[in-house]
Each structure stands twice: as C-alpha cells, then as structure tokens.
Amino acid sequence: MGVIGILAVIFLKGLTVVTVDTADVTTVSEYFSQNGLGLSFYSWYGSVRLFYFRVPEDTVLASFGLYAVKKSGSSCRTINITVHFQSGAPPVINPLGTKFASYTPVVPSHNLTIPVSTTMNNTFLNITNPSAGDWFIAAHLPEDDGKIEVEGLSSKCSYVLQPLLMVSRRIVVPVLEAGTAQTHSVSSPNTVAYLKIFIPEYTQELNLTLWNCSIGSSGPSMCSLQVSLGSTTVPVNSQAFRNCTGKTICTTVLKSPPWEKWLRITVASTASDNVTVGFNIGASLSACKLESTSSVLGILKSFGPNSSYFSIATENQGSSSNTWNISRSLSDTLQIVGNCFRHQTVLREDLDVLSAKFSIVNGPNVTVAANLPTVLLFNLNSGDDSGGTVIVDLVLNKSSWTNHSALLLACFTYGSPILSLESVKDCSTGLSQGYSLKMNSTKTEDHLRVPFPISGYWYLTMQILCFGNRSDCDDSEASVLTSVYLTPCIDDCGQYGQCRLLRTFSYLYAACVCKAGWQGWSCTDDATAQSYGRQLLATLLLTLSNFMFIPAIVVAIYRYYIIEASVYAFAMFFSTFYHACDQPGIAVMCIMDYDTLQFCDFLGSVVAIWVTILCMARIKEIFKYLMFVIGSLFIAMSLQLGRRGVWNMMGPCLFALIIMAIAWVYRGVKRRKCYPPWWKRWVFFIFPGIGIAFIAICIYAFAETENNYYVTHSIWHILVSLSVAFLLPPRELLADKPWSCLQKSKCRYQICSNQSEDTYDVT
C-alpha cells in the first residue's frame, strides 16, 4: 500500500463520526488530496504553505483531514502547527500581532493548532452545508527566531503537512421556483430537506414562506421546523436562520440576496425523534428597475455578470438616461417594484498579473443623490483576483456639497448591492458583511483596502443620508471622485518592503516582505523599525570592515605573493560593494546587478581561503598555480549550484588542508624535524592565525542572527582578514623578486630562480 493509500485509510478512520448512510442513494462521496509541503517558521506571508480545494455544488458535508509528519532529526522537538481556513480567498493572518495599514479592515480567520509530538499526527475539521467554490488552507510553524543557519551544518527537523478533503454531495436537489409551492417532509434527527432557488440579478428581496405543517398523520398543526438560508462560510458564517417552532405560517424575509447564484435552503425538524413533519414551502422574489446614468448605448450591456437576462427598454439616443427592465424570461417569477437604484457602467482594464484598473464611463466623477442609491459593479471574477488587493478611494467634491448636516455613505459589498442604505447603515447584506466608507462636510475623503478579496462580483453603493427633515435633502446631489483598482500589494509595500508574487500549485497571490525592522501586512508597522542612523551604521560596518584586507594585501605583496594579493583585493572589492547593495534599508548603493555582486563576494571569499592554504603548503609554483586555477573553477561551479551550503566553503578548505598536511609531512620526514622548523613561526604566527580563523568560523556558523548580523558579520570580515595576514608564510630565502625574469643581462642571458628551497639554476 502506497503513502496515499495509507493516508486514505487514516482519513477514512477519522470520518467515522460523520459517516453518511450508504443506503441514501441521493448522495455521492468524492475524495481530493494535494501533495504534502514542508512547513517553515513564520516571518512573513511567504513562509506560509497555502493549499486550496474546490468544493462542488450541492455539497452537504466537507471533511478536511490534516495529516502532519515530523521527520526524525537531532533538533526535532514537539511543536505546534497553526492551520488557517477560509472560503473564497486566502486567509489574511497576523501571527506576529503587528498593525495593519490604515483603512484596512481585517476579519480574523478560523484557525486550528495541531501539536506535533509524534512522527504522525492527524486532525479533522467537518463543515456541514459548505459554500461551493474555493476553500483555502494556510499552514505555518511558530515565529522564526531570526537565527541565520548555514545549510548542511546541522540536521534540521522538517515538518510536512498534507491536507485531504472528502465531500458528500447530493445528486439531486429540488429546485424551488418563485411563485410555486412544493410539499416536503422531514423527520428528526436524521433527515433534512435540501432545496435551492436561483436568485436573478436585480433581486431586491426574497420572501420564503412555510405553511400547512403537519406532524405524522394528524392534520394541520404548528410548525416544528428550523429554516436556514445560504451556505456555511469561514470565518464568518453567511447563513440566515429562522426558527418556525410554534407558528402556523412562517415567513422569512432576506434582503439583498446574492445575485446570479443558487441559494441553498435547508429545513430541519425540531420535533421529537422519529416524528415526520410535513410542510408546504413557497418563495417570491421582488426585483426593481434601475436608472442608468451612462449615455453610451454601445456598452450598456457591460453592466452585469450575465446581461442575457435583460433587455434595453428604450433606444432613444436623445434621452439623457436609459431604463433597463427585467426580460420576459423572468418577468413571470419576479415582482417589479419600480426604480430602486441607478448605475454607471464600469469597464475593466487588465494591466498585469493581479493588477487591473476600473474605469467609470462618464467618470471618474460619480453623481450621488439622496432619493436613489448609485451602484457600481466591479468584476473580480477572473479566478486569480482573490490573490491581490482591492483599493477604493473616494473624494467628495466640496463645491457640490450643499447640505452640511447630511452624510454620504458608501458600502462595498460582495455578491449583491445594498438597495436601502437608510435602513442598513452597517453595510450588511442578507448573508454577508460589507465595508463602509463615510464622508461629510468635514471629512471629504475616505479610503478602503481589502486584501485577498473573495473572487466574484463586488458592488459599491453610494447614497446621501439625512438625519433631520428628509424633505430638506430629497433633491440633494454630490459629485464623488471614485477610484477603484486591483493591485498585488498595498502601496507596493511602501519604502521598506518588497511586493513578491507567490505561487502554490497553479494559484498566484502576492505578499509583502519587509526590511529594516518594519513589519505588518504592508510593512507599515514601525514598532521595531530601524532608524536611518542605525541603517547607516550597519552599512558602514559591513563595508568598511572589508578594508581590514589591506594589511593582508600589503603582507602578500611584501612577500612577493602577487597572485594571492590580487585575490585578496578582488574579495575586498566585491565584498564591500555586495554589502553596500545588500542592506535592507535606504542606505544602499548597488554598482551592478545584485546577483552578480553576491556571486563575486562568495567566490572571492572562498578562493581567498583556498589560495592562502595552498600558499602555506609551499608546493612547487607550477603545481600551486595549477591548483589555483582548477580550484577556482570548481569553486565557481559549486557556488552556482548553491551559495549557502556549508560544503561550498568547507570542501575546498579541507582539500587544501590535506594538500598542506601532505606537503608538511613530506618536508618533515625528509628533514627529519618538524616543519616549519622555527618555533617563533608557530608561536607568533601559525597558532594565532589558526585561533583567529577558528573564532571567525564559530561566529559565522553559530552566532549570526538577523538582528546582530551587521555586527557579527563585520567581526567575521576583520578576523578572516587578520588570520590571512598571520598565516601567509614568509618568502623564500633565495627567492628573487617576481619581476626579476624581465631584467636581462648585457650578454642577453636570463637568470631565474626556481623557487626551490636549497638550489637555483643558471641558464
């Protein structure tokens, strides 16, 4: 049995408490899974592992299984995995408790904590009547401690999470048509009546009525039923409940139901067990006409997700406004109640990934009145729009505002607009909560940022509200400059952040990674922000500390190690400008591409160590320079494969140390005494150099964190350069100057030394 098979068995065992009766042929079960992903400690949203599933229509039960695996390692410990759930869009989370940007309302996501104490752990979450569509799961480990670890130096414990989903879906769900009645029966506690009704666009109100209830074989009696409208969503449940117990006729009114969607109706019995309750159920829909303030007839049909339900009532181009009516296909089931609102057409222009601009026809100024609300529709139904951020900016034109005691209220809602702002001032529709924007004579602008909006159709409803005599502002109008657009990140994450495009499977979303101590969803929380002086100090320390290579360069030139001195100069130059470009704040200077600077910095550092150890080995020059070239090529290759691995530095160092040890042992055996033979060389140069290098390696490998990086890494620069100056061997006793070969005698003979220890040749 494979891994997936084992997971399926474990998953099905966890579903015993929610088993669906196999005799019920009206339901079918479906199973979904995604590959497990390794979890990371949380530092920003990119640390989150995001999964998503698509729940089918008519699903009555969704069971999420979370299978966590802890792989063995020396650093393994019991840890808590935090898992967030949300329907419609990725969850907006805040594990660090940071502040969000202004005008950014956030609803906390539903989350679970899974303690991982054994090798395998599983947890289940059951949701009845889930909303159809995308469901997202975000998982992460606790907060990152900020320690910078060298890859491969220690074995890390890895945690893997694999989510599974099993749904029970009804094959047939009765459709309730407006204006018709149906008869159904339910019994407690096992059976529930599931129905659905389609809500056309421009529906203002849904009236659902239950009557003629009967218990068992008796005649009409009081109803013992509970009705729910809508489906379960997370974190905010978008359902409306009505207890009909004790009523002969039970009516439920749902204002502003979601347009162009199937609305689920669930009826359950509240009577005693094993009692069948029969009832009649019917529904009526009321819709309204609307006034169009756009005068461009060629694009009138761009308003609405499905304009086939509507027809243009007039095509008189001389008219300043056009009225749309519900088409005959729906007129039989809808009650037209008159003009409810007016609209302006909105056009969408896609700019880039997760980026779109909405242009208002005859805009960007929108006329808002007191007698009817003005509604704008924004299409965020492309599939990937939920991974970005919707920005809404409203500015009231002071010159058009005459009633100083009135209030201009705007509501940004999902699924359907609010058609009566006077009675609903908290911007809530029948099944969802919207976002409000308010302006008056003293506050002439308001803004809204909605990260990760639910994919679908959003509506902006604006109306002037009066608190005194209504007749004083019936004819009031105001002009509002309206700007709505979709962007990957809020304000592009500001000066101290970077907006990054992330991907999980085929889904794209964006998040901010902050720098210089700034935190928050859009890098606006300055609680731990670094001051400019602190940023400048870090830049100066990390760059100027490289100048400690100058003594090593001088020593190398003095001892005629010209190639080695060139390598040290290369390392000093690129390390200086790499760290000048690598700073997280605004004290930054990049002379070339960042990746090029980083590669040259790592290459110069490792090659400097390589040539220093080979120089200490005192092998013949032809072999030494050959090893210089070959080693540099292999080091460049390994750094291209991975620059953070411990063996990229330790590998060349160990190989060079082996060569040096062989050379020193050979010389010692040949001379029959220790090599190097001078005790002063050991005491004053080799031992101090090795001690300084050992301290530098310990600081680099174990002491560096994100907070103290500018101090510890600067110390690393200083110690490494000092160790090089101590460890470079003295020049050969009989060695000539490197440029002596260029000097020719009068007899045109050339004198060159072979750099051997005891002899030289004359040719």
Side-chain angles (χ1 to χ4, degrees):
M1 183 180 294
V3 175
I4 296 298
I6 296 174
L7 296 182
V9 171
I10 296 176
F11 182 69
L12 293 175
K13 287 182 179 179
L15 293 178
T16 54
V17 295
V18 292
T19 302
V20 180
D21 186 8
T22 56
D24 187 1
V25 296
T26 62
T27 62
V28 63
S29 297
E30 295 179 278
Y31 173 80
F32 307 93
S33 67
Q34 290 190 354
N35 289 333
L37 298 178
L39 303 181
S40 301
F41 290 93
Y42 186 86
S43 60
W44 64 294
Y45 204 86
S47 309
V48 171
R49 296 297 175 261
L50 190 65
F51 307 88
Y52 74 98
F53 295 93
R54 182 172 292 274
V55 176
E57 291 282 352
D58 303 328
T59 298
V60 296
L61 175 66
S63 296
F64 292 94
L66 305 175
Y67 180 78
V69 179
K70 179 178 69 173
K71 295 186 178 180
S72 300
S74 59
S75 60
C76 285
R77 58 187 174 92
T78 300
I79 201 168
N80 291 330
I81 298 177
T82 304
V83 183
H84 306 264
F85 293 85
Q86 183 157 318
S87 57
V92 179
I93 63 177
N94 188 18
L96 305 182
T98 56
K99 295 186 297 184
F100 284 85
S102 302
Y103 311 108
T104 309
V106 175
V107 178
S109 62
H110 178 75
N111 61 79
L112 297 176
T113 300
I114 305 175
V116 182
S117 56
T118 60
T119 304
M120 294 183 295
N121 299 265
N122 53 79
T123 304
F124 302 93
L125 176 66
N126 302 322
I127 300 176
T128 58
N129 297 328
S131 174
D134 293 333
W135 282 73
F136 291 84
I137 301 174
H140 60 85
L141 298 178
E143 179 182 358
D144 189 4
D145 57 6
K147 185 178 180 180
I148 301 176
E149 296 182 352
V150 181
E151 295 179 5
L153 191 61
S154 61
S155 59
K156 295 178 61 178
C157 185
S158 60
Y159 302 87
V160 178
L161 180 72
Q162 180 172 13
L164 311 168
L165 172 63
M166 185 174 182
V167 300
S168 294
R169 179 173 58 85
R170 294 187 68 87
I171 299 176
V172 178
V173 177
V175 176
L176 181 63
E177 297 183 0
T180 62
Q182 295 182 5
T183 301
H184 294 274
S185 63
V186 295
S187 61
S188 178
N190 297 323
T191 61
V192 177
Y194 296 98
L195 302 94
K196 61 181 180 180
I197 183 172
F198 185 76
I199 307 297
E201 198 169 13
Y202 301 156
T203 299
Q204 183 183 25
E205 186 177 278
L206 166 66
N207 287 270
L208 184 71
T209 304
L210 277 73
W211 74 97
N212 197 19
C213 297
S214 61
I215 298 178
S217 59
S218 61
S221 62
M222 297 291 183
C223 294
S224 298
L225 301 171
Q226 181 174 343
V227 182
S228 65
L229 301 176
S231 304
T232 303
T233 57
V234 171
V236 179
N237 188 14
S238 59
Q239 285 183 297
F241 297 93
R242 172 71 166 168
N243 192 348
C244 297
T245 303
K247 297 180 173 59
T248 56
I249 299 178
C250 183
T251 301
T252 302
V253 178
L254 184 66
K255 295 183 178 297
S256 300
W259 290 355
E260 292 293 305
K261 290 182 179 295
W262 288 99
L263 182 66
R264 181 177 300 176
I265 303 172
T266 305
V267 182
S269 173
T270 60
S272 58
D273 294 348
N274 301 322
V275 174
T276 301
V277 179
F279 60 92
N280 291 343
I281 185 171
S284 63
L285 300 173
S286 60
C288 57
K289 297 184 296 183
L290 66 155
E291 292 183 2
S292 172
T293 59
S294 302
S295 59
V296 183
L297 292 177
I299 55 175
L300 283 175
K301 291 188 178 181
S302 64
F303 181 76
N306 192 345
S307 58
S308 63
Y309 286 115
F310 308 100
S311 60
I312 300 178
T314 177
E315 295 185 4
N316 184 6
Q317 299 185 14
S319 175
S320 60
S321 64
N322 302 283
T323 303
W324 288 6
N325 294 326
I326 307 300
S327 66
R328 290 189 301 271
S329 61
L330 295 177
S331 60
D332 296 336
T333 59
L334 291 175
Q335 300 176 6
I336 308 302
V337 298
N339 293 333
C340 297
F341 64 93
R342 53 184 182 175
H343 86 281
Q344 284 190 236
T345 305
V346 178
L347 304 179
R348 169 172 172 151
E349 178 185 0
D350 289 323
L351 304 177
D352 205 341
V353 179
L354 300 179
S355 181
K357 176 184 177 182
F358 295 95
S359 301
I360 302 173
V361 176
N362 297 334
N365 291 300
V366 177
T367 301
V368 181
N371 56 346
L372 285 178
T374 300
V375 176
L376 307 178
L377 180 146
F378 300 95
N379 183 354
L380 296 173
N381 201 26
S382 67
D384 290 334
D385 292 341
S386 59
T389 301
V390 175
I391 308 295
V392 180
D393 295 322
L394 301 180
V395 180
L396 177 63
N397 188 346
K398 285 186 177 182
S399 61
S400 64
W401 188 257
T402 58
N403 193 332
H404 299 288
S405 62
L407 172 70
L408 194 150
L409 176 62
C411 290
F412 193 61
T413 55
Y414 166 76
S416 63
I418 299 176
L419 302 181
S420 179
L421 292 181
E422 293 180 338
S423 58
V424 182
K425 297 181 181 179
D426 60 348
C427 289
S428 60
T429 63
L431 298 178
S432 64
Q433 177 64 50
Y435 305 95
S436 63
L437 300 94
K438 299 178 181 179
M439 292 171 288
N440 52 32
S441 57
T442 57
K443 180 185 176 183
T444 58
E445 62 181 73
D446 205 353
H447 311 275
L448 176 65
R449 283 87 176 95
V450 183
F452 294 163
I454 299 176
S455 181
Y457 293 94
W458 287 75
Y459 299 85
L460 180 63
T461 307
M462 295 182 286
Q463 188 175 7
I464 298 176
L465 305 181
C466 299
F467 300 101
N469 189 355
R470 173 62 188 270
S471 60
D472 294 339
C473 64
D474 282 343
D475 298 329
S476 298
E477 290 187 349
S479 177
V480 179
L481 178 63
T482 305
S483 174
V484 180
Y485 55 95
L486 176 71
T487 182
C489 301
I490 300 175
D491 297 330
D492 202 23
C493 300
Q495 186 178 14
Y496 293 98
Q498 181 181 7
C499 185
R500 294 189 180 179
L501 187 64
L502 307 174
R503 181 181 66 86
T504 175
F505 302 98
S506 61
Y507 181 77
L508 297 177
Y509 59 105
C512 291
V513 54
C514 306
K515 55 187 180 180
W518 289 75
Q519 295 178 317
W521 185 264
S522 53
C523 303
T524 55
D525 189 346
D526 59 352
T528 60
Q530 301 175 7
S531 63
Y532 178 75
R534 160 72 167 72
Q535 299 175 37
L536 184 61
L537 175 63
T539 303
L540 292 177
L541 282 177
L542 288 169
T543 54
L544 298 181
S545 60
N546 288 284
F547 289 153
M548 289 302 296
F549 264 107
I550 293 178
I553 296 173
V554 173
V555 171
I557 294 176
Y558 176 75
R559 296 175 180 176
Y560 302 158
Y561 299 123
I562 305 302
I563 302 299
E564 290 82 347
S566 302
V567 174
Y568 302 151
F570 179 91
M572 180 186 69
F573 177 84
F574 281 101
S575 180
T576 299
F577 286 101
Y578 164 67
H579 287 291
C581 183
D582 186 50
Q583 294 310 295
I586 58 177
V588 180
M589 184 182 71
C590 298
I591 63 172
M592 59 180 67
D593 181 68
Y594 174 83
D595 187 70
T596 303
L597 289 173
Q598 185 187 64
F599 177 81
C600 293
D601 171 55
F602 280 68
L603 178 65
S605 301
V606 180
V607 172
I609 299 174
W610 169 256
V611 300
T612 301
I613 299 176
L614 290 179
C615 185
M616 294 173 62
R618 292 272 186 135
I619 59 179
K620 289 186 177 182
E621 284 193 348
I622 186 172
F623 296 110
K624 182 178 73 172
Y625 295 139
L626 179 63
M627 295 302 296
F628 280 2
V629 175
I630 294 177
S632 300
L633 294 177
F634 275 96
I635 291 171
M637 179 196 67
S638 65
L639 290 177
Q640 186 62 30
L641 295 176
R643 300 173 191 175
R644 300 289 181 180
V646 63
W647 289 107
N648 292 334
M649 180 179 294
M650 295 300 296
C653 292
L654 291 177
F655 188 70
L657 287 173
I658 292 174
I659 296 175
M660 186 187 73
I662 294 174
W664 282 15
V665 170
Y666 173 78
R667 289 173 181 265
V669 172
K670 182 179 180 181
R671 295 183 175 189
R672 297 184 179 180
K673 61 179 179 180
C674 182
Y675 185 86
W678 305 285
W679 67 270
K680 291 183 179 180
R681 179 68 186 167
W682 285 94
V683 173
F684 295 109
F685 294 96
I686 296 180
F687 285 152
I690 294 176
I692 294 173
F694 179 77
I695 296 173
I697 292 174
C698 291
I699 292 176
Y700 178 82
F702 305 108
E704 286 188 354
T705 64
E706 294 180 358
N707 292 329
N708 66 11
Y709 176 79
Y710 72 102
V711 175
T712 55
H713 202 73
S714 299
I715 296 175
W716 154 264
H717 289 164
I718 296 172
L719 294 180
V720 169
S721 58
L722 288 178
S723 67
V724 170
F726 275 95
L727 294 175
L728 274 177
R731 58 185 172 186
E732 298 285 352
L733 296 178
L734 300 179
D736 290 332
K737 297 178 181 179
W739 48 86
S740 60
C741 291
L742 300 178
Q743 300 175 357
K744 296 183 179 180
S745 64
K746 294 181 179 180
C747 298
R748 299 185 183 276
Y749 283 96
Q750 188 173 343
I751 302 177
C752 298
S753 62
N754 65 354
Q755 301 295 325
S756 63
E757 188 172 341
D758 300 317
T759 62
Y760 66 91
D761 298 330
V762 178
T763 58

